[in-house]
Amino acid sequence: MLLYSQLSLTSAVLICFLLTTFMLAVQAGDFYKLLGISRDATTKEIKKAYRQKSLEFHPDKNKEEGAAEKFAEIARAYEVLSDEEKKEIYDQYGEDGLKQHEQGGGGGGSGFGGFEDVFSQFFGGGGRRERNRERQTPDVEIPLHVTMKQLYLGAVIEVEYVREVLCLNWQECMKNSQECQGPGVRVKMQQIAPGFVQQVQQKDDRCVAHGKMWKSNCSACPSKTTTEKIDLTIDINRGMRPGELITFEGVTDEKPGYTAGNLHFKLIEKEDKTFHRDRDNLYKTVEIPLVDALTGFSITLKHLDDHSFTVNVNDVTECDHVMRIPGKGMPRRNGRGFGDLYLTFEVDFPDKLSDEQKKAIKDILSSSDQRDEL
């Protein structure tokens, strides 16, 4: 009966897990839902929906959490649905089929990498609890301000850290004491009545460890600790993100009866004048004149590592149009390629036009409209 109950519970958890995985797979990455359009939307409707959504979630205008990630998803959706070939593949085979097409084929995963982890939470694998763990001094967190360029290229930074360490002869100042039950904890027996004894716990800084007490006025080590300067080398890996911690274990202040705590350097990214970053993606706003927006243009940009690259645009560029440049973002922390660069084009309109310029523009656009009608 017990075995049957365990199997039933296991089956129930398995079914719930599979259903949840299936629902997530169905809901994730529907490009039509992202743009808020139907599957039979026209090219014009797709373009209009993309423009509205991209303005709503643009990182420079929408500061809400997750807006930049949503913006990248919208840009990806428009990239696919505005391309007839990609749209046809996506409609038939979904996003996974499209990715295989873009990569020239290749396998995927089953999507159940964390299945064993889910079951380990329900059945066994609880782990051992550490008992009588030695206490440690407090951890220390220090902000480390770095540039986006340092996070792009990687960097090595040398720092000097000042800490308190036990003096050389500190052990000579220790004596045995059964009343000491740990650092700062003293337990003594107190008689409250004939035949009745009460155990009383008191705070006593002389107790430095279990069974160990610090000798008062010990000449071998009068101040318990001395000041020490240590040199640390901080390795910043390429693609690290703001808020990540670089940890040095056991290097904070020492204290009798304690192990030294950990020192954490928290990465703080300085604001960059050229790029805005969200995870592995970079964003940049580019201003172009009206003539370039109408006729096409080429621009040369300098990246964080000072290499230059050219962006060519042959079509008409609308205001606030966003262009995705694959592989021009930040290095991925796992070493597998780079994120993407998103360029937002702002069109600089002239303050005024002469009568001749107005007439010329009208003639050009009118003749273009007539050809379209034919």
Side-chain angles (χ1 to χ4, degrees):
M1 188 67 180
L2 178 60
L3 177 60
Y4 176 80
S5 299
Q6 290 178 341
L7 290 174
S8 299
L9 179 58
T10 303
S11 301
V13 173
L14 175 60
I15 293 171
C16 290
F17 179 81
L18 293 176
L19 286 175
T20 302
T21 305
F22 175 76
M23 292 301 296
L24 288 174
V26 171
Q27 295 173 2
D30 190 323
F31 292 160
Y32 291 97
K33 287 184 179 179
L34 281 172
L35 297 181
I37 56 177
S38 63
R39 289 187 171 268
D40 57 354
T42 63
T43 302
K44 187 174 182 180
E45 290 172 339
I46 294 173
K47 194 172 187 179
K48 181 180 179 181
Y50 163 68
R51 177 174 169 78
Q52 293 174 345
K53 292 289 186 180
S54 62
L55 289 175
E56 180 182 353
F57 292 97
H58 195 284
D60 291 340
K61 299 178 180 180
N62 190 329
K63 303 300 182 182
E64 293 183 5
E65 185 178 355
E69 188 173 354
K70 188 78 171 180
F71 176 82
E73 294 174 357
I74 291 169
R76 171 62 174 167
Y78 177 73
E79 179 188 13
V80 172
L81 299 183
S82 61
D83 186 294
E84 292 184 3
E85 182 183 6
K86 292 182 179 179
K87 182 176 183 295
E88 183 179 353
I89 295 172
Y90 175 78
D91 289 342
Q92 291 184 18
Y93 305 106
E95 190 172 4
D96 288 340
L98 179 62
K99 287 180 180 178
Q100 290 185 9
H101 169 75
E102 291 175 336
Q103 297 170 1
S110 64
F112 296 96
F115 182 74
E116 293 182 358
D117 294 337
V118 173
F119 270 83
S120 67
Q121 296 178 15
F122 285 93
F123 309 106
R128 297 181 179 179
R129 296 178 178 269
E130 294 184 43
R131 297 181 179 179
N132 300 323
R133 183 175 58 184
E134 190 174 6
R135 298 188 184 185
Q136 69 175 33
T137 57
D139 288 356
V140 176
E141 183 177 296
I142 299 176
L144 181 64
H145 296 268
V146 293
T147 64
M148 191 181 294
K149 183 175 183 178
Q150 287 176 307
L151 295 176
Y152 183 89
L153 295 173
V156 176
I157 301 176
E158 304 288 343
V159 298
E160 186 180 78
Y161 182 68
V162 180
R163 64 173 183 166
E164 294 294 316
V165 296
L166 294 172
C167 67
L168 185 62
N169 300 318
W170 67 275
Q171 290 183 335
E172 296 180 15
C173 295
M174 303 273 279
K175 66 178 182 179
N176 296 328
S177 174
Q178 294 182 353
E179 293 183 348
C180 288
Q181 299 299 309
V185 179
R186 182 183 179 190
V187 177
K188 58 185 299 185
M189 308 303 291
Q190 185 176 18
Q191 186 173 354
I192 58 176
F196 292 93
V197 179
Q198 182 183 27
Q199 191 178 50
V200 180
Q201 180 173 303
Q202 299 175 335
K203 177 178 173 57
D204 193 333
D205 291 334
R206 293 177 301 168
C207 290
V208 295
H210 191 279
K212 297 292 183 180
M213 178 177 284
W214 190 265
K215 297 179 183 178
S216 300
N217 302 319
C218 180
S219 60
C221 189
S223 60
K224 295 185 181 180
T225 61
T226 59
T227 301
E228 179 188 62
K229 294 181 180 180
I230 57 174
D231 295 322
L232 299 175
T233 300
I234 303 175
D235 291 314
I236 300 176
N237 296 325
R238 299 182 67 194
M240 293 189 76
R241 297 174 181 174
E244 286 195 66
L245 299 178
I246 299 175
T247 300
F248 293 85
E249 297 181 353
V251 299
T252 60
D253 292 343
E254 295 180 350
K255 187 178 179 181
Y258 291 77
T259 58
N262 301 326
L263 175 62
H264 307 283
F265 289 95
K266 185 176 183 179
L267 295 179
I268 307 295
E269 186 179 84
K270 297 178 182 178
E271 184 176 352
D272 190 82
K273 296 181 180 179
T274 304
F275 298 101
H276 166 72
R277 178 186 182 184
D278 183 72
R279 295 179 179 271
D280 295 332
N281 295 327
L282 292 176
Y283 301 85
K284 177 178 173 60
T285 299
V286 179
E287 189 175 280
I288 58 174
L290 178 60
V291 63
D292 286 352
L294 295 174
T295 61
F297 58 92
S298 293
I299 56 172
T300 299
L301 302 174
K302 182 177 288 188
H303 216 299
L304 289 165
D305 61 350
D306 295 329
H307 87 271
S308 298
F309 61 98
T310 302
V311 177
N312 298 310
V313 179
N314 298 319
D315 299 327
V316 174
T317 302
E318 298 183 2
C319 292
D320 296 318
H321 171 69
V322 179
M323 183 178 186
R324 171 174 168 260
I325 314 296
K328 288 298 182 181
M330 295 291 292
R332 300 192 188 280
R333 291 175 298 176
N334 59 12
R336 298 178 181 176
F338 293 76
D340 300 330
L341 169 64
Y342 291 88
L343 298 178
T344 300
F345 296 105
E346 292 186 353
V347 180
D348 182 20
F349 286 84
D351 295 331
K352 60 181 180 179
L353 296 173
S354 65
D355 292 338
E356 293 181 357
Q357 289 173 324
K358 293 178 182 178
K359 184 178 183 304
I361 292 174
K362 287 181 179 179
D363 292 342
I364 293 172
L365 295 180
S366 297
S367 61
S368 176
D369 290 340
Q370 290 175 2
R371 287 197 299 270
D372 290 342
E373 290 178 0
L374 293 176

mmCIF file of all heavy atoms in Angstrom, residues 153-194:
data_model
loop_
_atom_site.group_PDB
_atom_site.id
_atom_site.type_symbol
_atom_site.label_atom_id
_atom_site.label_comp_id
_atom_site.label_asym_id
_atom_site.label_seq_id
_atom_site.Cartn_x
_atom_site.Cartn_y
_atom_site.Cartn_z
ATOM 1 N N LEU A 153 36.348 43.941 -22.681
ATOM 2 C CA LEU A 153 37.647 43.352 -22.991
ATOM 3 C C LEU A 153 38.135 42.388 -21.916
ATOM 4 O O LEU A 153 38.950 41.507 -22.188
ATOM 5 C CB LEU A 153 38.687 44.472 -23.161
ATOM 6 C CG LEU A 153 38.495 45.421 -24.341
ATOM 7 C CD1 LEU A 153 39.498 46.557 -24.259
ATOM 8 C CD2 LEU A 153 38.650 44.685 -25.659
ATOM 9 N N GLY A 154 37.616 42.571 -20.686
ATOM 10 C CA GLY A 154 38.206 41.876 -19.554
ATOM 11 C C GLY A 154 39.334 42.725 -18.991
ATOM 12 O O GLY A 154 39.940 43.533 -19.707
ATOM 13 N N ALA A 155 39.635 42.570 -17.716
ATOM 14 C CA ALA A 155 40.665 43.404 -17.111
ATOM 15 C C ALA A 155 41.243 42.718 -15.877
ATOM 16 O O ALA A 155 40.627 41.816 -15.296
ATOM 17 C CB ALA A 155 40.086 44.770 -16.732
ATOM 18 N N VAL A 156 42.429 43.154 -15.492
ATOM 19 C CA VAL A 156 43.079 42.713 -14.262
ATOM 20 C C VAL A 156 43.354 43.962 -13.430
ATOM 21 O O VAL A 156 44.021 44.889 -13.901
ATOM 22 C CB VAL A 156 44.388 41.952 -14.537
ATOM 23 C CG1 VAL A 156 45.085 41.600 -13.227
ATOM 24 C CG2 VAL A 156 44.109 40.691 -15.346
ATOM 25 N N ILE A 157 42.832 43.999 -12.218
ATOM 26 C CA ILE A 157 42.974 45.164 -11.355
ATOM 27 C C ILE A 157 43.665 44.748 -10.070
ATOM 28 O O ILE A 157 43.261 43.782 -9.418
ATOM 29 C CB ILE A 157 41.591 45.787 -11.032
ATOM 30 C CG1 ILE A 157 40.894 46.212 -12.328
ATOM 31 C CG2 ILE A 157 41.730 46.966 -10.086
ATOM 32 C CD1 ILE A 157 39.492 46.750 -12.110
ATOM 33 N N GLU A 158 44.719 45.472 -9.724
ATOM 34 C CA GLU A 158 45.444 45.224 -8.484
ATOM 35 C C GLU A 158 44.931 46.170 -7.405
ATOM 36 O O GLU A 158 44.840 47.379 -7.623
ATOM 37 C CB GLU A 158 46.947 45.440 -8.686
ATOM 38 C CG GLU A 158 47.567 44.599 -9.797
ATOM 39 C CD GLU A 158 47.682 43.132 -9.432
ATOM 40 O OE1 GLU A 158 47.579 42.812 -8.228
ATOM 41 O OE2 GLU A 158 47.871 42.301 -10.347
ATOM 42 N N VAL A 159 44.575 45.629 -6.240
ATOM 43 C CA VAL A 159 44.090 46.451 -5.136
ATOM 44 C C VAL A 159 44.834 46.076 -3.861
ATOM 45 O O VAL A 159 45.400 44.982 -3.741
ATOM 46 C CB VAL A 159 42.563 46.280 -4.918
ATOM 47 C CG1 VAL A 159 41.785 46.713 -6.135
ATOM 48 C CG2 VAL A 159 42.231 44.836 -4.555
ATOM 49 N N GLU A 160 44.820 46.997 -2.910
ATOM 50 C CA GLU A 160 45.404 46.766 -1.597
ATOM 51 C C GLU A 160 44.292 46.763 -0.566
ATOM 52 O O GLU A 160 43.466 47.682 -0.541
ATOM 53 C CB GLU A 160 46.425 47.853 -1.268
ATOM 54 C CG GLU A 160 47.196 47.621 0.020
ATOM 55 C CD GLU A 160 48.198 48.723 0.305
ATOM 56 O OE1 GLU A 160 47.758 49.794 0.770
ATOM 57 O OE2 GLU A 160 49.405 48.531 0.030
ATOM 58 N N TYR A 161 44.248 45.744 0.246
ATOM 59 C CA TYR A 161 43.192 45.611 1.247
ATOM 60 C C TYR A 161 43.808 45.581 2.640
ATOM 61 O O TYR A 161 44.798 44.882 2.883
ATOM 62 C CB TYR A 161 42.391 44.329 0.997
ATOM 63 C CG TYR A 161 41.250 44.126 1.962
ATOM 64 C CD1 TYR A 161 40.149 44.965 1.951
ATOM 65 C CD2 TYR A 161 41.296 43.088 2.900
ATOM 66 C CE1 TYR A 161 39.091 44.788 2.847
ATOM 67 C CE2 TYR A 161 40.252 42.895 3.787
ATOM 68 C CZ TYR A 161 39.152 43.748 3.758
ATOM 69 O OH TYR A 161 38.123 43.570 4.646
ATOM 70 N N VAL A 162 43.229 46.349 3.544
ATOM 71 C CA VAL A 162 43.714 46.436 4.922
ATOM 72 C C VAL A 162 42.774 45.643 5.819
ATOM 73 O O VAL A 162 41.557 45.838 5.785
ATOM 74 C CB VAL A 162 43.790 47.899 5.393
ATOM 75 C CG1 VAL A 162 44.302 47.961 6.832
ATOM 76 C CG2 VAL A 162 44.696 48.717 4.470
ATOM 77 N N ARG A 163 43.337 44.768 6.630
ATOM 78 C CA ARG A 163 42.524 43.939 7.509
ATOM 79 C C ARG A 163 43.219 43.738 8.859
ATOM 80 O O ARG A 163 44.400 44.073 9.027
ATOM 81 C CB ARG A 163 42.280 42.576 6.872
ATOM 82 C CG ARG A 163 43.549 41.752 6.668
ATOM 83 C CD ARG A 163 43.248 40.354 6.206
ATOM 84 N NE ARG A 163 44.461 39.538 6.076
ATOM 85 C CZ ARG A 163 44.444 38.224 5.957
ATOM 86 N NH1 ARG A 163 43.303 37.566 5.940
ATOM 87 N NH2 ARG A 163 45.566 37.548 5.843
ATOM 88 N N GLU A 164 42.469 43.203 9.801
ATOM 89 C CA GLU A 164 43.011 42.863 11.111
ATOM 90 C C GLU A 164 43.310 41.365 11.154
ATOM 91 O O GLU A 164 42.457 40.544 10.798
ATOM 92 C CB GLU A 164 42.008 43.212 12.218
ATOM 93 C CG GLU A 164 41.749 44.709 12.371
ATOM 94 C CD GLU A 164 42.980 45.454 12.844
ATOM 95 O OE1 GLU A 164 43.654 44.956 13.777
ATOM 96 O OE2 GLU A 164 43.293 46.510 12.260
ATOM 97 N N VAL A 165 44.533 41.017 11.577
ATOM 98 C CA VAL A 165 44.931 39.599 11.675
ATOM 99 C C VAL A 165 45.414 39.319 13.094
ATOM 100 O O VAL A 165 45.842 40.230 13.820
ATOM 101 C CB VAL A 165 46.038 39.239 10.665
ATOM 102 C CG1 VAL A 165 45.529 39.387 9.248
ATOM 103 C CG2 VAL A 165 47.276 40.104 10.886
ATOM 104 N N LEU A 166 45.324 38.070 13.486
ATOM 105 C CA LEU A 166 45.784 37.668 14.821
ATOM 106 C C LEU A 166 47.279 37.912 14.957
ATOM 107 O O LEU A 166 48.045 37.660 14.024
ATOM 108 C CB LEU A 166 45.465 36.194 15.058
ATOM 109 C CG LEU A 166 43.973 35.829 15.136
ATOM 110 C CD1 LEU A 166 43.811 34.311 15.169
ATOM 111 C CD2 LEU A 166 43.325 36.454 16.357
ATOM 112 N N CYS A 167 47.666 38.394 16.134
ATOM 113 C CA CYS A 167 49.085 38.637 16.349
ATOM 114 C C CYS A 167 49.845 37.307 16.361
ATOM 115 O O CYS A 167 49.251 36.233 16.508
ATOM 116 C CB CYS A 167 49.314 39.411 17.639
ATOM 117 S SG CYS A 167 48.892 38.496 19.131
ATOM 118 N N LEU A 168 51.144 37.404 16.217
ATOM 119 C CA LEU A 168 51.963 36.221 16.003
ATOM 120 C C LEU A 168 51.846 35.209 17.140
ATOM 121 O O LEU A 168 51.779 33.994 16.916
ATOM 122 C CB LEU A 168 53.427 36.640 15.804
ATOM 123 C CG LEU A 168 54.408 35.534 15.449
ATOM 124 C CD1 LEU A 168 54.027 34.892 14.119
ATOM 125 C CD2 LEU A 168 55.832 36.082 15.392
ATOM 126 N N ASN A 169 51.807 35.667 18.385
ATOM 127 C CA ASN A 169 51.818 34.768 19.549
ATOM 128 C C ASN A 169 50.451 34.695 20.226
ATOM 129 O O ASN A 169 50.374 34.517 21.449
ATOM 130 C CB ASN A 169 52.874 35.249 20.557
ATOM 131 C CG ASN A 169 54.263 35.273 19.967
ATOM 132 O OD1 ASN A 169 54.655 34.357 19.242
ATOM 133 N ND2 ASN A 169 55.017 36.321 20.271
ATOM 134 N N TRP A 170 49.392 34.773 19.460
ATOM 135 C CA TRP A 170 48.064 34.861 20.067
ATOM 136 C C TRP A 170 47.699 33.588 20.851
ATOM 137 O O TRP A 170 46.974 33.646 21.846
ATOM 138 C CB TRP A 170 47.013 35.130 18.989
ATOM 139 C CG TRP A 170 46.794 34.007 18.013
ATOM 140 C CD1 TRP A 170 47.505 33.757 16.893
ATOM 141 C CD2 TRP A 170 45.796 32.996 18.103
ATOM 142 N NE1 TRP A 170 47.024 32.642 16.257
ATOM 143 C CE2 TRP A 170 45.964 32.154 16.972
ATOM 144 C CE3 TRP A 170 44.777 32.699 19.001
ATOM 145 C CZ2 TRP A 170 45.151 31.044 16.733
ATOM 146 C CZ3 TRP A 170 43.967 31.602 18.766
ATOM 147 C CH2 TRP A 170 44.157 30.794 17.646
ATOM 148 N N GLN A 171 48.215 32.441 20.445
ATOM 149 C CA GLN A 171 47.856 31.198 21.129
ATOM 150 C C GLN A 171 48.413 31.132 22.559
ATOM 151 O O GLN A 171 47.890 30.394 23.404
ATOM 152 C CB GLN A 171 48.342 30.000 20.325
ATOM 153 C CG GLN A 171 47.573 29.802 19.021
ATOM 154 C CD GLN A 171 48.018 28.563 18.264
ATOM 155 O OE1 GLN A 171 49.150 28.115 18.422
ATOM 156 N NE2 GLN A 171 47.129 28.000 17.462
ATOM 157 N N GLU A 172 49.462 31.921 22.827
ATOM 158 C CA GLU A 172 50.020 31.941 24.180
ATOM 159 C C GLU A 172 49.074 32.629 25.171
ATOM 160 O O GLU A 172 49.260 32.497 26.389
ATOM 161 C CB GLU A 172 51.379 32.657 24.175
ATOM 162 C CG GLU A 172 52.446 31.948 23.357
ATOM 163 C CD GLU A 172 53.769 32.682 23.391
ATOM 164 O OE1 GLU A 172 53.925 33.563 24.277
ATOM 165 O OE2 GLU A 172 54.637 32.387 22.550
ATOM 166 N N CYS A 173 48.115 33.353 24.645
ATOM 167 C CA CYS A 173 47.185 34.088 25.506
ATOM 168 C C CYS A 173 45.877 33.319 25.725
ATOM 169 O O CYS A 173 44.898 33.890 26.226
ATOM 170 C CB CYS A 173 46.893 35.459 24.910
ATOM 171 S SG CYS A 173 48.322 36.551 24.852
ATOM 172 N N MET A 174 45.840 32.042 25.349
ATOM 173 C CA MET A 174 44.635 31.233 25.522
ATOM 174 C C MET A 174 44.796 30.327 26.738
ATOM 175 O O MET A 174 45.877 29.812 27.003
ATOM 176 C CB MET A 174 44.403 30.370 24.273
ATOM 177 C CG MET A 174 44.304 31.164 22.995
ATOM 178 S SD MET A 174 42.668 31.750 22.651
ATOM 179 C CE MET A 174 41.958 30.282 21.954
ATOM 180 N N LYS A 175 43.722 30.135 27.447
ATOM 181 C CA LYS A 175 43.713 29.184 28.562
ATOM 182 C C LYS A 175 42.428 28.367 28.512
ATOM 183 O O LYS A 175 41.418 28.809 27.936
ATOM 184 C CB LYS A 175 43.840 29.906 29.900
ATOM 185 C CG LYS A 175 42.658 30.792 30.249
ATOM 186 C CD LYS A 175 42.851 31.431 31.614
ATOM 187 C CE LYS A 175 41.654 32.305 32.014
ATOM 188 N NZ LYS A 175 41.841 32.910 33.355
ATOM 189 N N ASN A 176 42.474 27.181 29.090
ATOM 190 C CA ASN A 176 41.302 26.311 29.091
ATOM 191 C C ASN A 176 40.242 26.826 30.060
ATOM 192 O O ASN A 176 40.550 27.310 31.146
ATOM 193 C CB ASN A 176 41.693 24.883 29.462
ATOM 194 C CG ASN A 176 42.616 24.263 28.445
ATOM 195 O OD1 ASN A 176 42.536 24.568 27.265
ATOM 196 N ND2 ASN A 176 43.516 23.389 28.898
ATOM 197 N N SER A 177 38.982 26.704 29.657
ATOM 198 C CA SER A 177 37.866 27.100 30.519
ATOM 199 C C SER A 177 36.641 26.298 30.107
ATOM 200 O O SER A 177 36.126 26.456 28.985
ATOM 201 C CB SER A 177 37.579 28.599 30.390
ATOM 202 O OG SER A 177 36.411 28.949 31.122
ATOM 203 N N GLN A 178 36.173 25.443 31.004
ATOM 204 C CA GLN A 178 34.995 24.627 30.695
ATOM 205 C C GLN A 178 33.729 25.469 30.580
ATOM 206 O O GLN A 178 32.757 25.048 29.965
ATOM 207 C CB GLN A 178 34.811 23.559 31.787
ATOM 208 C CG GLN A 178 35.921 22.525 31.829
ATOM 209 C CD GLN A 178 35.681 21.466 32.891
ATOM 210 O OE1 GLN A 178 34.751 21.563 33.692
ATOM 211 N NE2 GLN A 178 36.546 20.437 32.898
ATOM 212 N N GLU A 179 33.738 26.656 31.168
ATOM 213 C CA GLU A 179 32.549 27.503 31.135
ATOM 214 C C GLU A 179 32.339 28.145 29.765
ATOM 215 O O GLU A 179 31.230 28.562 29.434
ATOM 216 C CB GLU A 179 32.648 28.588 32.204
ATOM 217 C CG GLU A 179 32.591 28.049 33.631
ATOM 218 C CD GLU A 179 32.621 29.156 34.654
ATOM 219 O OE1 GLU A 179 32.913 30.323 34.275
ATOM 220 O OE2 GLU A 179 32.361 28.873 35.846
ATOM 221 N N CYS A 180 33.372 28.261 28.968
ATOM 222 C CA CYS A 180 33.250 28.876 27.640
ATOM 223 C C CYS A 180 32.624 27.875 26.673
ATOM 224 O O CYS A 180 33.184 26.798 26.429
ATOM 225 C CB CYS A 180 34.618 29.329 27.124
ATOM 226 S SG CYS A 180 35.273 30.788 27.983
ATOM 227 N N GLN A 181 31.478 28.247 26.145
ATOM 228 C CA GLN A 181 30.760 27.377 25.216
ATOM 229 C C GLN A 181 30.841 27.857 23.763
ATOM 230 O O GLN A 181 30.172 27.324 22.898
ATOM 231 C CB GLN A 181 29.289 27.278 25.640
ATOM 232 C CG GLN A 181 29.091 26.695 27.026
ATOM 233 C CD GLN A 181 29.624 25.284 27.130
ATOM 234 O OE1 GLN A 181 29.310 24.427 26.304
ATOM 235 N NE2 GLN A 181 30.454 25.020 28.141
ATOM 236 N N GLY A 182 31.646 28.871 23.540
ATOM 237 C CA GLY A 182 31.794 29.412 22.200
ATOM 238 C C GLY A 182 32.228 30.861 22.281
ATOM 239 O O GLY A 182 32.336 31.432 23.374
ATOM 240 N N PRO A 183 32.506 31.511 21.145
ATOM 241 C CA PRO A 183 32.939 32.907 21.169
ATOM 242 C C PRO A 183 31.903 33.806 21.851
ATOM 243 O O PRO A 183 30.749 33.887 21.418
ATOM 244 C CB PRO A 183 33.086 33.253 19.691
ATOM 245 C CG PRO A 183 33.306 31.954 19.004
ATOM 246 C CD PRO A 183 32.493 30.963 19.780
ATOM 247 N N GLY A 184 32.314 34.464 22.918
ATOM 248 C CA GLY A 184 31.438 35.396 23.616
ATOM 249 C C GLY A 184 30.367 34.762 24.469
ATOM 250 O O GLY A 184 29.507 35.474 25.007
ATOM 251 N N VAL A 185 30.385 33.425 24.626
ATOM 252 C CA VAL A 185 29.331 32.724 25.375
ATOM 253 C C VAL A 185 29.954 31.988 26.560
ATOM 254 O O VAL A 185 30.827 31.122 26.381
ATOM 255 C CB VAL A 185 28.568 31.729 24.478
ATOM 256 C CG1 VAL A 185 27.499 31.006 25.296
ATOM 257 C CG2 VAL A 185 27.954 32.447 23.297
ATOM 258 N N ARG A 186 29.469 32.328 27.759
ATOM 259 C CA ARG A 186 29.944 31.666 28.978
ATOM 260 C C ARG A 186 28.744 31.092 29.730
ATOM 261 O O ARG A 186 27.746 31.790 29.927
ATOM 262 C CB ARG A 186 30.684 32.669 29.863
ATOM 263 C CG ARG A 186 31.259 32.067 31.144
ATOM 264 C CD ARG A 186 31.891 33.145 31.977
ATOM 265 N NE ARG A 186 32.431 32.608 33.225
ATOM 266 C CZ ARG A 186 32.871 33.366 34.234
ATOM 267 N NH1 ARG A 186 32.814 34.699 34.114
ATOM 268 N NH2 ARG A 186 33.343 32.811 35.329
ATOM 269 N N VAL A 187 28.834 29.839 30.114
ATOM 270 C CA VAL A 187 27.765 29.156 30.842
ATOM 271 C C VAL A 187 28.303 28.737 32.207
ATOM 272 O O VAL A 187 29.323 28.054 32.294
ATOM 273 C CB VAL A 187 27.244 27.932 30.072
ATOM 274 C CG1 VAL A 187 26.193 27.205 30.901
ATOM 275 C CG2 VAL A 187 26.671 28.344 28.730
ATOM 276 N N LYS A 188 27.595 29.151 33.242
ATOM 277 C CA LYS A 188 28.043 28.804 34.593
ATOM 278 C C LYS A 188 26.871 28.233 35.386
ATOM 279 O O LYS A 188 25.707 28.523 35.083
ATOM 280 C CB LYS A 188 28.629 30.019 35.302
ATOM 281 C CG LYS A 188 27.680 31.194 35.431
ATOM 282 C CD LYS A 188 28.354 32.421 36.045
ATOM 283 C CE LYS A 188 28.858 32.126 37.439
ATOM 284 N NZ LYS A 188 29.417 33.322 38.113
ATOM 285 N N MET A 189 27.210 27.433 36.388
ATOM 286 C CA MET A 189 26.199 26.828 37.244
ATOM 287 C C MET A 189 25.989 27.715 38.470
ATOM 288 O O MET A 189 26.944 28.173 39.097
ATOM 289 C CB MET A 189 26.632 25.424 37.670
ATOM 290 C CG MET A 189 27.033 24.518 36.515
ATOM 291 S SD MET A 189 25.752 24.318 35.274
ATOM 292 C CE MET A 189 24.564 23.373 36.224
ATOM 293 N N GLN A 190 24.734 27.978 38.774
ATOM 294 C CA GLN A 190 24.393 28.846 39.901
ATOM 295 C C GLN A 190 23.382 28.151 40.814
ATOM 296 O O GLN A 190 22.338 27.699 40.352
ATOM 297 C CB GLN A 190 23.821 30.166 39.385
ATOM 298 C CG GLN A 190 23.541 31.178 40.471
ATOM 299 C CD GLN A 190 23.065 32.499 39.890
ATOM 300 O OE1 GLN A 190 22.628 32.558 38.738
ATOM 301 N NE2 GLN A 190 23.152 33.554 40.681
ATOM 302 N N GLN A 191 23.708 28.050 42.103
ATOM 303 C CA GLN A 191 22.805 27.403 43.062
ATOM 304 C C GLN A 191 21.705 28.378 43.459
ATOM 305 O O GLN A 191 21.968 29.490 43.903
ATOM 306 C CB GLN A 191 23.562 26.956 44.309
ATOM 307 C CG GLN A 191 22.714 26.160 45.286
ATOM 308 C CD GLN A 191 23.540 25.594 46.436
ATOM 309 O OE1 GLN A 191 24.756 25.705 46.446
ATOM 310 N NE2 GLN A 191 22.874 24.977 47.386
ATOM 311 N N ILE A 192 20.465 27.994 43.265
ATOM 312 C CA ILE A 192 19.339 28.861 43.582
ATOM 313 C C ILE A 192 18.646 28.440 44.878
ATOM 314 O O ILE A 192 17.868 29.206 45.445
ATOM 315 C CB ILE A 192 18.327 28.870 42.425
ATOM 316 C CG1 ILE A 192 17.834 27.464 42.116
ATOM 317 C CG2 ILE A 192 18.948 29.509 41.186
ATOM 318 C CD1 ILE A 192 16.761 27.416 41.040
ATOM 319 N N ALA A 193 18.921 27.195 45.320
ATOM 320 C CA ALA A 193 18.355 26.697 46.583
ATOM 321 C C ALA A 193 19.096 25.427 46.940
ATOM 322 O O ALA A 193 19.746 24.808 46.072
ATOM 323 C CB ALA A 193 16.854 26.442 46.448
ATOM 324 N N PRO A 194 19.026 24.995 48.199
ATOM 325 C CA PRO A 194 19.714 23.745 48.569
ATOM 326 C C PRO A 194 19.258 22.585 47.689
ATOM 327 O O PRO A 194 18.065 22.279 47.595
ATOM 328 C CB PRO A 194 19.306 23.544 50.036
ATOM 329 C CG PRO A 194 19.022 24.914 50.528
ATOM 330 C CD PRO A 194 18.421 25.645 49.373
#
